[in-house]
Amino acid sequence: MTILHKIGWVGLAILCAIAFGHVVGFLNPHEKVNGLWLVVAASCFYVLAYRFYGRFLARRVMNLDDRRRTPAYRLEDGSNFYPANKYILFGHHFAAIAGAGPLLGPVLASQFGFLPGFLWIVIGAVLAGAVQDFIILVASMRRNGRSLPEIAHAELGPITGLATAIAVLFIVIVALAGLGLAVVNALYENVWGTFTIVMTIPIAFIMGLYLQKFRPGQVGEMTLIGLVLLVLAIIFGRTVAQSEWAEWFLWDRTTLTWCLATYGFLASVLPVWILLVPRDYLSTFMKLGVVALLGIGVILLAPTMEMPRTTQFIGGNGPIIPGTLFPFLFITIACGAISGFHSLVSSGTTPKLISQESQAIVGYGAMLLESFVGVIALVAACLLVPGDYFAINTHLTTETLETMGFPTAHIEQLSSMVEVDVSGRPGGAVSLAVGMASIFSGLPGMSGLMAYWYQFALLFEALFILTTIDAGTRVARYLVQELGGRVYAPLKQINWWPGVLGTSLFVVGAWGYLIGTGSIATIWPMFGTANQLLGMLALCIATTVLIKMNKTAYLWVTVIPMVFVGVITLAGCYELFSLFVSRATSGESPQALTMGINAILVGLVAILAFVVLVDSARKWYGYLVHKHPLNSTEVFEGEGINIPAGPCC
């Protein structure tokens, strides 16, 4: 680097340190924190991490090299494998990983105060979540796009492979059910939102056909067409909601569930370039645009964080999350810092689309961007007066909240401004939408549009979640085919149509049934715990990959976050298991059977994770101490087609 570059990076590091000093209270500890400091601290930290730690991982740890042909070229079939444009690749990957977690998790965890959640979101993403996503993406890319369970089976043996496969399949179906339920709750009897979401499907078809058939390679033209059509869909959504056509999109929960299952099925069986990739690419523009606008709003308005750094509920007995800060903060935030679900995307659709190895850094960068979404969501929620925040996210009366020390201040005014009674709407989505709408309406020329921005924010949340469902359903289909292929060999062929249709129906039927029966009342803590456990398993498999690459000097990169995440999630499993058993045996809960099933499922996943850890540790001991042969399943193949030679970065 030149002297000017060095001075610039040092200046950025100093600004990052000053911002963190304000956030944690080292500077001006007795003053309320300005939300601007959280955005500055996070942004600077992410840029520094991407430039230095991300480059270290790419160059020193994984040795990305553009001279190696990727499976997108070697196995191109026009359906699952094809070399995507790097911008479309980023759009698909970010849209696929960015679901409900970074939006709702930080909002719910704000119960403990903004500081614990902020620190875990930022530091956890840099040192754990982004590391997991990147290493698993490279490992899969170098193994013909194999899934996480297949990598575990090939590198660690049948015991770990089978345990990982069962755990992963359970986690994916529960996650898709939870995300699907969030979409249903956001869109039922919401004509404007439903119309806009539905319109993104034909828009995606137009974009996919335009780029693949009509104007190959013209990404700019396709992007412009997609953006214009998306803006028109958003604008006319309100018109449709006020017209006689409104009844066509006034769907109840059951109808929405069936339509959601149909969409998941289509996204799973159609070639990725027709629906899944262009729709995710389109959604990314809306996601990034809204997040950028929120960031600008925070910078311009410099709002005060009304929520304190920590609250009295860090010791437990909170009105939203009954558990203590440890381990429930980490379980609740889930995807904002590390998400096992990401490892399924990193070993599912994305590695089949990468045209150059250097593009795999998208695994690290996209996670940092998702973490920033979590920070913005945290800021939006903590701008609310604590009493108003708790009034929205609980069913407690204003008198009870005042007794607890959290009197409401503007809850009636907020309800009037958004034209909806927002009190008593737990789950995080409504409080986030109110916070976002407050920021948007405070921008120049936006006053008086609070109700419009509130509906737009709910639409934004639904779109965020839906793009994870389409990629997740396809990934789950791959998993079922791989598992079933051990019993019936033709199922392993991912383009064998009977297998494609049958396994896709099984997956959407499973998570659709969970949504339709309403048996997932405790879905979020179950999802959070299982998701973090999967993150631990992914880091465990990443550790094995590094050992097989003779990278023992860098094992700390995966081992340290693996141990930390393992401790907090196994503790969370114990707490949840005890809670479910207590409710199942109390004789008072009308959902005693459901609680019992939940206890069994949480216990099963914890046992599977323990089996994987023990079996992996046994293999590591053999490799590192007894020097057993390091047999790797990496695929090495010569020079790529029209790919410039040389290492990445």
Side-chain angles (χ1 to χ4, degrees), residues 46-207:
Y46 295 143
V47 172
L48 291 167
Y50 184 81
R51 170 58 179 80
F52 294 101
Y53 196 48
R55 177 171 288 198
F56 162 76
L57 293 172
R59 285 185 167 184
R60 299 290 184 86
V61 180
M62 300 308 292
N63 301 123
L64 298 187
D65 191 341
D66 283 342
R67 291 171 295 189
R68 300 175 60 155
R69 293 186 75 205
T70 64
Y73 279 105
R74 290 186 286 102
L75 305 175
E76 185 174 1
D77 59 9
S79 178
N80 297 288
F81 292 86
Y82 88 98
N85 176 276
K86 62 181 180 180
Y87 300 110
I88 295 178
L89 175 74
F90 169 77
H92 160 70
H93 185 75
F94 176 71
I97 67 171
L103 291 175
L104 305 185
V107 174
L108 298 176
S110 299
Q111 168 193 279
F112 299 112
F114 71 82
L115 182 58
F118 174 78
L119 293 178
W120 173 235
I121 290 170
V122 174
I123 299 174
V126 168
L127 299 180
V131 172
Q132 170 213 259
D133 292 12
F134 171 67
I135 294 180
I136 293 300
L137 177 58
V138 176
S140 177
M141 177 183 64
R142 290 177 174 173
R143 289 164 176 79
N144 288 336
R146 282 181 168 180
S147 70
L148 189 70
E150 284 290 291
I151 297 173
H153 184 273
E155 302 293 346
L156 286 164
I159 296 177
T160 294
L162 182 61
T164 303
I166 296 173
V168 164
L169 185 58
F170 162 74
I171 291 167
V172 171
I173 290 177
V174 171
L176 292 175
L179 298 177
L181 183 62
V183 172
V184 170
N185 287 340
L187 295 182
Y188 85 96
E189 298 183 358
N190 184 341
V191 175
W192 183 15
T194 301
F195 171 80
T196 305
I197 291 294
V198 169
M199 287 301 102
T200 61
I201 298 175
I203 293 173
F205 276 117
I206 294 172
M207 293 173 65

Side-chain angles (χ1 to χ4, degrees), residues 480-485 488-494 496 498-500 503:
V480 175
Q481 285 191 259
E482 289 170 0
L483 269 175
Y488 185 60
L491 276 177
K492 275 198 172 183
Q493 303 174 23
I494 60 175
W496 185 54
V500 170
T503 53

Side-chain angles (χ1 to χ4, degrees), residues 488-575:
Y488 185 60
L491 276 177
K492 275 198 172 183
Q493 303 174 23
I494 60 175
N495 290 326
W496 185 54
W497 273 104
V500 170
L501 297 176
T503 53
S504 298
L505 283 173
F506 170 79
V507 171
V508 298
W511 59 256
Y513 172 79
L514 289 176
I515 297 174
T517 58
S519 61
I520 51 173
T522 53
I523 189 66
W524 193 261
M526 280 183 63
F527 162 62
T529 303
N531 189 39
Q532 302 300 84
L533 274 178
L534 180 55
M536 178 192 70
L537 297 183
L539 288 168
C540 175
I541 294 167
T543 301
T544 304
V545 169
L546 294 183
I547 292 175
K548 296 272 184 100
M549 293 176 62
N550 281 312
K551 296 288 185 177
T552 53
Y554 302 119
L555 289 184
W556 56 270
V557 166
T558 54
V559 170
I560 292 176
M562 179 190 72
V563 171
F564 182 77
V565 174
V567 169
I568 60 176
T569 49
L570 288 174
C573 277
Y574 173 78
E575 295 283 351

Side-chain angles (χ1 to χ4, degrees), residues 346-377:
S346 293
S347 62
T349 52
T350 304
K352 299 175 176 64
L353 306 175
I354 295 176
S355 60
Q356 295 178 276
E357 276 210 349
S358 57
Q359 294 174 2
I361 196 65
V362 70
Y364 194 83
M367 179 60 215
L368 297 186
L369 188 57
E370 174 169 349
S371 179
F372 183 70
V373 173
V375 171
I376 292 295

Side-chain angles (χ1 to χ4, degrees), residues 108 110-113 307 311-324 386-387 389-397 400-401 404-406 426-427 583:
L108 298 176
S110 299
Q111 168 193 279
F112 299 112
M307 185 70 72
T311 68
Q312 65 201 50
F313 303 121
I314 58 175
N317 299 318
I320 301 174
I321 305 165
T324 57
Y389 164 84
F390 286 113
I392 295 173
N393 285 291
T394 69
H395 292 290
L396 298 177
T397 63
T400 303
L401 288 172
M404 296 170 61
F406 296 102
R583 291 183 178 179

